[in-house]
């Protein structure tokens, strides 16, 4: 009450009724009181409020005059025994520390101490909207608040990012929107490794091209087939004919990649494969592509571009060793090539955007090189155990409870490098241009 005296006696151990207290919003924000077993990294609080709170709710506690923010991750019911063996039930909430908001920097920084027992816990107050930097992008907000979650696009791209989550959680729309943000940079080129045939339609407004023209791809498969047959006849050894053919295949794939990277008019390309099965020919073709792309990045610096490689349905391109399929040797060789990009790509401005449903099926060699992880809803224990290494066990346990368009983010690419639950805004994608519909309209026009 602004240090005002409401009675003139201030006697100790006497309660005075205040007839006309000043209005404030503390009761509107009050959630509960700090309970025992709270630590620096997480608090426990006795929920004692009519205010509804949810998983992901942002709370604030004052510690030594600093407003420290916490995010709810769990609620537990308990029973307390009273006098004469009566019992009462109550709820204890758990929340992890996000830190202190630094307005000048527009991020959160960890605070190094624990609140006192019985300190009040409040729903977080709104903040002035922070400015978003030129190379930054707001991917969402902390639920029920206006605190932004900001991605540093340069670092997210070059230090590799993984977007995980089961179907129907908003993962794919979020990933495609992030690709559009990358493409807003004039010196960034994106190559999508797409088995789903979705990207041509979803990005039709950007006029994507095939990084390897169709005629070149068909010739490559014929030549690779020839090489495999000749090597098979020659006790798995190359001869002069196969060596010459390999150089030929490498030559026209190298030229196709260079044409795309040099062309200022094209920023987005699709690398399509004819089948999703791991046949040795397809894997060999894919390995040529990745190896030559990385060679161009090292030797020619991608002609002044940053390159983002999007691995959609990543388990088909970089499977875990026990999911590699029938062509294990060829699959391992491709995996090693991509792993080299994951390990060294940031030195040469080549980054990976790995999109997958489950961590269990995706190569951990590649996934562990992703310095930024954004995970939507996951149910399997393998994913939860793996992601606990990034997020911490407490927040990783909330993965099955995330709502549609909610995700957990952590890593170097975030402006606030602390794991947190955030909410993705509704994203309107441009309507895909369907070739058949266009042809119908043309036909109708000609008839008229």
């Amino acid at each position: 009450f602004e240090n005002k005296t409401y009675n003139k006696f201030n006697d100790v151990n006497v309660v005075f009724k205040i007839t006309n207290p000043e209005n404030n919003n503390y009761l509107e924000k009050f959630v509960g009181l700090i309970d025992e077993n709270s630590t620096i990294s997480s608090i426990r609080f006795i929920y004692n409020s009519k205010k509804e709170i949810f998983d992901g709710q942002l709370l604030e506690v004052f510690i030594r005059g600093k407003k420290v923010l916490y995010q709810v991750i769990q609620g537990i019911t308990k029973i307390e025994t009273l006098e004469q063996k009566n019992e009462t039930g109550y709820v204890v909430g758990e929340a992890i520390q996000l830190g202190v908001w630094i307005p000048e920097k527009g991020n959160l920084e960890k605070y190094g101490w624990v609140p006192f027992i019985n300190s009040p816990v409040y729903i977080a107050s709104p903040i002035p909207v922070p400015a978003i930097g030129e190379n930054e992008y707001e991917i969402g907000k902390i639920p029920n608040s206006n605190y932004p979650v900001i991605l540093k696009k340069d670092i997210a791209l070059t230090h590799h990012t993984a977007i995980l989550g089961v179907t129907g959680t908003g993962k794919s729309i979020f990933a495609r929107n992030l690709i559009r943000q990358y493409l807003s940079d004039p010196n960034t080129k994106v190559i999508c490794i797409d088995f789903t045939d979705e990207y041509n339609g979803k990005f039709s407004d950007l006029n994507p091209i095939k990084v390897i023209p169709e005629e070149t791809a068909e010739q490559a498969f014929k030549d690779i087939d020839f090489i495999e047959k000749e090597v098979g006849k020659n006790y798995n050894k190359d001869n002069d004919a196969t060596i010459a053919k390999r150089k030929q295949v490498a030559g026209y794939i190298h030229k196709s990649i260079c044409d795309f990277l040099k062309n200022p008019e094209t920023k987005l390309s699709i690398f399509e494969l004819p089948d999703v099965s791991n046949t040795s020919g397809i894997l060999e073709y894919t390995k040529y592509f990745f190896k030559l792309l990385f060679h161009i990045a090292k030797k020619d610096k991608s002609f002044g571009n940053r390159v983002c490689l999007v691995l959609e349905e990543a388990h088909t391109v970089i499977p875990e060793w026990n999911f590699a399929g029938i062509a294990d040797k060829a699959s391992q060789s491709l995996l090693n090539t991509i792993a080299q990009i994951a390990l060294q790509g940031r030195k040469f401005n080549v980054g990976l955007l790995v999109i997958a449903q489950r961590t269990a099926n995706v190569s951990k060699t590649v996934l562990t090189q992703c310095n930024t992880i954004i995970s939507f809803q996951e149910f399997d224990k393998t994913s939860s155990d793996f992601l606990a290494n990034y997020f911490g066990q407490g927040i990783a346990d909330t993965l099955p409870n995330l709502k549609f368009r909610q995700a957990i983010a952590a890593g170097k690419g975030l402006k606030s490098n602390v794991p947190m639950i955030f909410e993705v805004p509704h994203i309107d994608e441009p309507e895909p241009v369907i070739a058949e519909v266009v042809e119908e309209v043309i036909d109708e026009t000609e008839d008229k």
Side-chain angles (χ1 to χ4, degrees):
F1 297 118
E2 302 293 340
N3 299 319
K4 291 184 179 179
T5 303
Y6 278 90
N7 63 81
K8 59 185 178 181
F9 301 108
N10 290 324
D11 292 345
V12 177
N13 296 328
V14 176
V15 176
F16 293 88
K17 181 179 179 182
I18 299 174
T19 52
N20 296 306
E22 291 182 13
N23 291 325
N24 61 51
N25 65 345
Y26 283 102
L27 283 178
E28 291 299 314
K29 295 165 51 186
F30 178 74
V31 171
L33 300 169
I34 294 291
D35 196 12
E36 61 181 346
N37 297 321
S38 293
T39 66
I40 292 174
S41 59
S42 64
I43 57 169
R44 294 164 65 90
F45 60 93
I46 297 172
Y47 177 65
N48 188 9
S49 173
K50 291 181 181 179
K51 294 293 293 182
E52 288 187 345
I53 60 172
F54 304 94
D55 206 7
Q57 180 76 55
L58 193 63
L59 306 175
E60 62 186 31
V61 180
F62 288 90
I63 308 174
R64 296 173 175 170
K66 291 276 189 183
K67 185 194 291 184
V68 184
L69 298 168
Y70 297 84
Q71 191 165 41
V72 175
I73 59 167
Q74 190 58 274
I76 306 163
T77 56
K78 291 205 168 188
I79 291 177
E80 181 181 19
T81 303
L82 305 175
E83 294 179 4
Q84 299 175 352
K85 297 185 179 179
N86 290 328
E87 292 181 339
T88 184
Y90 64 104
V91 174
V92 172
E94 290 186 2
I96 58 167
Q97 189 198 134
L98 298 188
V100 177
W101 177 255
I102 312 295
E104 302 80 30
K105 297 180 180 178
N107 68 351
L108 291 157
E109 292 183 1
K110 286 283 189 179
Y111 186 75
W113 197 233
V114 65
F116 294 110
I117 284 219
N118 293 329
S119 295
V121 180
Y122 301 108
I123 289 173
S125 306
I127 55 169
V129 178
I132 306 297
E134 184 181 346
N135 197 41
E136 296 173 348
Y137 169 56
E138 184 181 313
I139 58 174
K141 287 184 169 58
I142 297 175
N144 300 329
S145 80
N146 71 335
Y147 280 81
V149 180
I150 299 170
L151 192 76
K152 296 179 284 188
K153 291 191 286 186
D154 278 358
I155 294 175
L157 193 157
T158 56
H159 286 66
H160 316 311
T161 296
I163 300 174
L164 310 169
V166 297
T167 303
T169 55
K171 170 187 88 248
S172 297
I173 294 176
F174 176 83
R176 290 193 293 267
N177 191 61
L178 182 57
I179 291 167
R180 288 178 181 275
Q181 292 298 321
Y182 285 162
L183 288 169
S184 65
D185 177 68
N187 297 318
T188 297
K189 300 256 188 178
V190 175
I191 302 172
C192 300
I193 317 300
D194 182 29
F195 290 117
T196 63
D197 200 29
E198 271 191 356
Y199 279 59
N200 265 321
K202 297 295 184 182
F203 289 108
S204 56
D205 59 308
L206 299 179
N207 300 315
I209 66 163
K210 292 183 179 180
V211 65
I212 310 292
E214 200 166 326
E215 302 80 12
T216 306
E218 287 175 4
Q219 186 60 49
F221 276 104
K222 287 177 185 175
D223 291 344
I224 290 168
D225 189 47
F226 168 80
I227 293 167
E228 288 191 334
K229 285 177 181 175
E230 287 296 308
V231 168
K233 290 178 193 174
N234 198 31
Y235 306 102
N236 291 324
K237 292 180 182 177
D238 275 306
N239 55 33
D240 291 343
T242 58
I243 290 170
K245 192 65 77 174
R246 286 184 192 280
K247 287 180 180 177
Q248 190 178 336
V249 172
Y252 48 68
I253 292 178
H254 182 277
K255 181 183 181 302
S256 296
I257 296 170
C258 288
D259 289 345
F260 167 65
L261 293 176
K262 288 178 179 178
N263 188 347
E265 302 300 319
T266 56
K267 290 178 61 67
L268 175 66
S269 67
I270 313 291
F271 179 77
E272 291 181 333
L273 297 178
D275 203 333
V276 295
S277 61
N278 287 328
T279 65
S280 57
I282 290 169
L283 292 169
E284 190 70 16
Y285 171 68
T286 310
K287 187 182 81 172
Y288 270 107
F289 172 75
F290 279 105
K291 206 161 190 174
L292 290 164
L293 177 70
F294 196 43
H295 171 75
I296 294 165
K298 288 194 287 186
K299 183 175 177 291
D300 302 307
K301 303 292 185 286
S302 301
F303 306 105
N305 296 296
R306 277 182 309 192
V307 179
C308 176
L309 284 169
V310 180
L311 306 183
E312 178 64 65
E313 299 290 346
H315 64 276
T316 55
V317 187
I318 47 169
E320 189 59 294
W321 67 270
N322 52 334
F323 292 94
I326 53 168
D328 292 326
K329 186 176 177 183
S331 181
Q332 191 59 48
S333 180
L334 169 61
L335 184 56
N336 291 341
T337 303
I338 299 175
Q340 188 184 9
I341 296 174
L343 290 164
Q344 300 179 28
R346 71 194 64 146
K347 299 177 188 175
F348 307 103
N349 278 331
V350 178
L352 298 175
L353 180 59
V354 178
I355 305 167
Q357 292 188 30
R358 294 179 61 215
T359 65
N361 302 351
V362 180
S363 165
K364 302 304 177 292
T365 308
V366 176
L367 211 52
T368 51
Q369 293 301 314
C370 293
N371 286 280
T372 304
I373 301 280
I374 297 168
S375 180
F376 290 76
Q377 192 177 47
E378 294 273 20
F379 295 104
D380 62 295
K381 192 174 185 303
T382 308
S383 295
S384 179
D385 290 346
F386 176 80
L387 292 170
N389 297 318
Y390 286 86
F391 302 149
Q393 191 62 58
I395 194 167
D397 287 341
T398 67
L399 283 165
N401 304 325
L402 294 176
K403 301 180 182 70
F404 176 62
R405 295 207 323 266
Q406 280 190 350
I408 302 172
K412 285 185 179 179
L414 295 171
K415 199 168 182 182
S416 299
N417 190 8
V418 292
M420 64 181 77
I421 300 169
F422 75 100
E423 203 160 62
V424 177
H426 177 75
I427 297 168
D428 288 318
E429 285 192 292
E431 287 294 325
V433 178
I434 303 169
E436 289 80 1
V437 174
V438 174
E439 286 171 9
E440 284 177 15
V441 172
I442 292 169
D443 291 342
E444 287 178 10
T445 307
E446 286 175 350
D447 289 344
K448 287 177 182 178

